[in-house]
Amino acid sequence: MLPDLLSVAVPAATTTAAPTRLDPVQLFLDADIVVQAVMAGLILASIWVWAIIVSFSMKMGSIDRRNRAFEERFWQADDIEPLVRSDADLPSRRIASAGIGEWKASTRGGVKDRDGLRQRLSSTLDAAVTNESDTLAEKLNFLATVGSVAPFVGLFGTVWGIMNSFFQIGAQENTSLAVVAPGISEALFATAIGLFAAIPAVIAYNRFSHRVNAFETKLYRFSDRFNASLSRELEAM
């Protein structure tokens, strides 16, 4: 009687309980080396995306506040030269500096072609605004790239993992779900990571693009107002 009880108790004690929830770390560790490489790349891309989101949000907020304060001082100042010659890292200051530089270069020997000077001033200010907006939007290209490419990279990892699962079926000659399920879970996890990287990137890209466009509009208003001031001064000469 006692041996029979022991024979029943031993298997019961050595039986490993089935996992009750997904373990992302274990899924990564159990995945094929190719799927692991895909997951690692997507995780790094996701970290970079969030770093850009945080840094760009702080940068845009700071630039917008400081630039607005600069423009208020600029229009109230009797002499704008000290403001323009300062080393303030502000878009409006650089735009004003470009306009004044063109004005001085074109009026150094006297004004011979007023219409030509107006066109040069307008082109210089517009180019300065475009350069400032391009500089602000430079890092947004990475968000767009991750948003469009990450799902397909994750899908590649999924396809590779499923192919590996079918290979295991053939190698073990066993169609049991216990043979296929782990590989498929690891493969689908790659797609999940791809979406985790892509969704915030797309949302942030759309939001930040709107902010850059709105800020660019403010810069164009500043440059148009400054161009009008220079045109009035040109008429008075």
Side-chain angles (χ1 to χ4, degrees):
M1 184 66 179
L2 185 57
D4 292 338
L5 291 174
L6 291 175
S7 63
V8 173
V10 171
T14 57
T15 301
T16 303
T20 58
R21 62 183 178 83
L22 289 175
D23 186 352
V25 176
Q26 195 61 42
L27 286 175
F28 175 81
L29 295 176
D30 293 340
D32 182 80
I33 184 63
V34 175
V35 181
Q36 284 183 343
V38 169
M39 290 180 182
L42 291 173
I43 291 172
L44 291 176
S46 179
I47 293 173
W48 198 350
V49 164
W50 282 104
I52 291 176
I53 290 174
V54 173
S55 64
F56 193 85
S57 297
M58 297 174 63
K59 178 180 179 181
M60 280 300 300
S62 175
I63 288 179
D64 194 20
R65 289 191 301 270
R66 292 166 54 223
N67 202 70
R68 187 165 54 248
F70 172 84
E71 290 183 6
E72 291 177 357
R73 294 195 307 271
F74 183 86
W75 297 121
Q76 294 173 1
D78 295 329
D79 184 9
I80 63 173
E81 288 285 342
L83 289 174
V84 174
R85 283 199 297 262
S86 67
D87 57 351
D89 185 19
L90 295 172
S92 291
R93 186 200 66 80
R94 288 189 288 269
I95 292 170
S97 178
I100 290 178
E102 179 60 35
W103 171 270
K104 290 182 177 179
S106 298
T107 59
R108 185 174 296 114
V111 179
K112 299 179 181 179
D113 185 0
R114 296 176 183 270
D115 291 336
L117 175 56
R118 289 191 181 94
Q119 292 178 0
R120 288 193 298 273
L121 286 172
S122 179
S123 299
T124 299
L125 292 172
D126 288 346
V129 172
T130 302
N131 182 64
E132 294 297 330
S133 61
D134 288 345
T135 301
L136 287 174
E138 186 176 8
K139 290 185 178 180
L140 299 186
N141 292 330
F142 182 77
L143 297 180
T145 301
V146 172
S148 59
V149 172
F152 295 101
V153 176
L155 183 60
F156 168 76
T158 297
V159 171
W160 186 274
I162 292 176
M163 290 170 55
N164 188 51
S165 296
F166 281 115
F167 176 79
Q168 295 298 328
I169 291 175
Q172 299 183 23
E173 297 181 355
N174 187 351
T175 59
S176 172
L177 187 61
V179 176
V180 182
I184 293 179
S185 298
E186 298 154 9
L188 293 176
F189 187 50
T191 297
I193 296 178
L195 294 175
F196 180 78
I199 292 174
V202 172
I203 294 174
Y205 176 78
N206 292 333
R207 176 59 181 165
F208 290 156
S209 295
H210 175 73
R211 291 188 65 179
V212 169
N213 291 337
F215 189 73
E216 183 181 20
T217 301
K218 295 179 182 179
L219 294 180
Y220 271 119
R221 285 199 294 264
F222 173 79
S223 68
D224 290 343
R225 186 177 175 183
F226 185 50
N227 192 13
S229 299
L230 294 177
S231 295
R232 286 193 295 269
E233 187 172 344
L234 179 61
E235 292 175 356
M237 293 178 64

